Amino acid sequence: MTAASYDLLDYDEVLEKYDPVMGLEVHVELSTNSKMFSTSSARFGDEPNSNVDPTSLGLPGALPVVNATGVEYAIKIGLALNCSIAESSRFARKNYFYPDQPKNYQISQYDEPIAFDGYLDVVLEDGTEWRVEIERAHMEEDTGKLTHLGGVDGRIHGATASLVDCNRAGVPLIEIVTKPIEGAGARAPEVAKAYVGALRELVAALGVSDARMDQGSMRCDANLSLRPIGQEKFGTRTETKNINSLRSVEQAIRFEMMRQAAVLEEGGEIVQETRHYQETDGTTSKGRPKETSEDYRYFNDPDLPPVIAPREWVEQIRATLPELPWLRRARIQQEWQLSDEEMRDLVNAGALDLIVSTVEAGASADEARAWWVSYLAGKANEQGVELGELPISPEQVARVIALVREGKLTTKMGRSAVDGVLAGEGGVDEVVASRGLEVVRDDGAIEAAVDEALAANPDIVEKYRAGNTKVTGAIVGAVMKATRGKADPKQVNQLIAKKLS
């Protein structure tokens, strides 16, 4: 009986009987200009097979030369992950055949990685801190890309043909491998998601990668096994390959827990294999049997000398590290006087960086927060997108805030201006002009509208003069209607008070 034929076990039942153990391998493409071992461009999105050379195509006689910037970026990542940096590390050949690997081996690092024994502290949604131990971060080259034709969702299953693009072959990669993550229990999927999210934020802050999971410049392989509660020995693991979103990482772990538990409950055995994550329904499907390290027949690459990283150079690189994300958050929280819960909400909503950029563009922290976490968050929810995916920039939001602060727009007009930008009508000033949003500054016109509204509502005037000063809302509304919403409500209220007193 195959694993696919088993039903899923209820998640709560899984946790009553089994302890999940995870291992996460995250591949990060480095933002170097050229490839790891040749001078070909590493640029993303160019015509297929246009960024190739004899080395990345594995042609006879072509010799690799190490990209020094790639090594520097690897050291930066290792330092940020609290790793030890090896003074000497080596490249090895990882031997296997796949059509997108022209040499039939991949240049990687095996028993002598450049960074090892680190950790990354991540914060879960409720504020709990979880330490993920890092086993190693090693350098390697990426493979090419296969496009499968005729299959479902571009998968090889059911495909009738495959196209090979070697542009990505040789692009510098850092593979970050965790130690076994134990004891997470029900929170295992959440821990995995939080870890990959923190790692993505970190490498982007370091400036070593754009960390675009949607474009494949950051990918996660999630290993999972189950062991009966109380047992020390790990169970047989599966490896779900090339997961490309945080939500998918969480779902893949959760699904594998329920699938593996169902197999074990029916007396079946878990097969050590790679699996593919299906974006359409959040499931995983069988890939190929998973090799062991011995199957790859690693040996030191004879064409590449050891990578030497003197202590002085490492410390120079350490001195260039930017403010790390968690330290930056702590500083911002203190400067803005936010509670832990308020800061956590901003981070979970994906609003913090947007607010910071809006402040840098001239808004106050309170103004930026008010626009992003209320009005714009509502718009993102309406459209079913992440906050950062809205087609409006922090600079544009800061411009709206400035116009409202200067009294050139009311808050309602500012929202209309934002709506116009979101609708693709142009920049803020273009939308303000095309929608005729600027506040009316003609005191005579506003005063005339106030006089007309007061004359039309004698009962409200009488109540006001009798001491009920809260009844002027109807007068303000009539004036705003007469001026098509372009009057300054503050000015209107002042005029009403003046005339009635």
Side-chain angles (χ1 to χ4, degrees), residues 71 75 86-90 114 305-311 313-314:
V71 176
I75 294 173
E87 290 194 50
S88 176
S89 62
R90 292 195 65 96
I114 193 166
V307 175
I308 306 301
R311 293 298 92 190
W313 187 38
V314 172

Side-chain angles (χ1 to χ4, degrees), residues 141-415:
E141 60 179 343
D142 209 344
T143 60
K145 181 181 178 181
L146 290 177
T147 300
H148 303 293
L149 306 179
V152 178
D153 295 330
R155 300 289 187 184
I156 193 170
H157 298 289
T160 56
S162 297
L163 304 178
V164 182
D165 178 8
C166 289
N167 277 355
R168 200 174 66 186
V171 168
L173 271 185
I174 297 299
E175 182 176 350
I176 302 163
V177 182
T178 70
K179 294 179 181 179
I181 303 172
E182 305 177 59
R187 307 194 76 171
E190 183 186 358
V191 169
K193 176 184 177 182
Y195 167 72
V196 177
L199 200 55
R200 181 178 68 176
E201 184 181 29
L202 174 62
V203 297
L206 292 174
V208 300
S209 173
D210 62 13
R212 289 285 301 271
M213 296 187 77
D214 58 317
Q215 293 182 355
S217 57
M218 181 169 166
R219 315 185 288 274
C220 177
D221 296 343
N223 294 272
L224 181 93
S225 65
L226 296 179
R227 61 182 176 188
I229 299 292
Q231 177 179 299
E232 290 188 13
K233 183 181 178 182
F234 292 167
T236 302
R237 66 185 172 91
T238 61
E239 182 181 20
T240 304
K241 301 285 287 184
N242 295 328
I243 309 173
N244 63 359
S245 77
L246 301 184
R247 179 180 62 88
S248 298
V249 169
E250 184 176 31
Q251 289 183 341
I253 293 291
R254 186 181 180 92
F255 178 84
E256 271 299 288
M257 287 172 62
M258 295 189 291
R259 184 193 70 82
Q260 289 188 23
V263 173
L264 296 171
E265 286 299 293
E266 292 292 329
E269 293 185 358
I270 303 300
V271 177
Q272 183 167 312
E273 62 187 2
T274 63
R275 297 185 67 82
H276 300 297
Y277 178 73
Q278 310 294 338
E279 294 281 352
T280 52
D281 57 8
T283 65
T284 69
S285 61
K286 185 179 180 64
R288 56 180 170 79
K290 176 61 179 171
E291 300 89 346
T292 64
S293 59
E294 290 78 10
D295 294 324
Y296 290 122
R297 305 188 318 282
Y298 283 100
F299 63 88
N300 289 336
D301 193 307
D303 295 331
L304 289 164
V307 175
I308 306 301
R311 293 298 92 190
E312 296 80 7
W313 187 38
V314 172
E315 292 310 311
Q316 288 173 7
I317 294 173
R318 190 193 302 274
T320 68
L321 294 180
E323 184 179 30
L324 298 179
W326 46 90
L327 299 177
R328 174 172 170 263
R329 279 196 294 271
R331 174 180 57 78
I332 290 171
Q333 182 175 349
Q334 184 177 26
E335 289 177 356
W336 294 357
Q337 298 183 330
L338 301 176
S339 67
D340 291 344
E341 185 178 2
E342 287 173 325
M343 174 56 80
R344 189 163 61 247
D345 288 345
L346 292 183
V347 172
N348 291 340
L352 181 61
D353 287 340
L354 296 168
I355 294 170
V356 170
S357 296
T358 305
V359 171
E360 290 172 349
S364 72
D366 287 342
E367 290 170 329
R369 282 176 60 202
W371 278 90
W372 281 107
V373 303
S374 57
Y375 192 69
L376 285 162
K379 289 295 179 181
N381 188 53
E382 287 175 12
Q383 297 179 25
V385 299
E386 298 292 332
L387 193 57
E389 295 175 355
L390 287 174
I392 188 168
S393 69
E395 292 75 19
Q396 290 171 320
V397 175
R399 176 59 179 159
V400 171
I401 290 171
L403 291 173
V404 173
R405 188 194 308 130
E406 293 165 8
K408 295 179 179 178
L409 295 180
T410 63
T411 299
K412 184 177 180 181
M413 289 177 178
R415 290 175 176 175

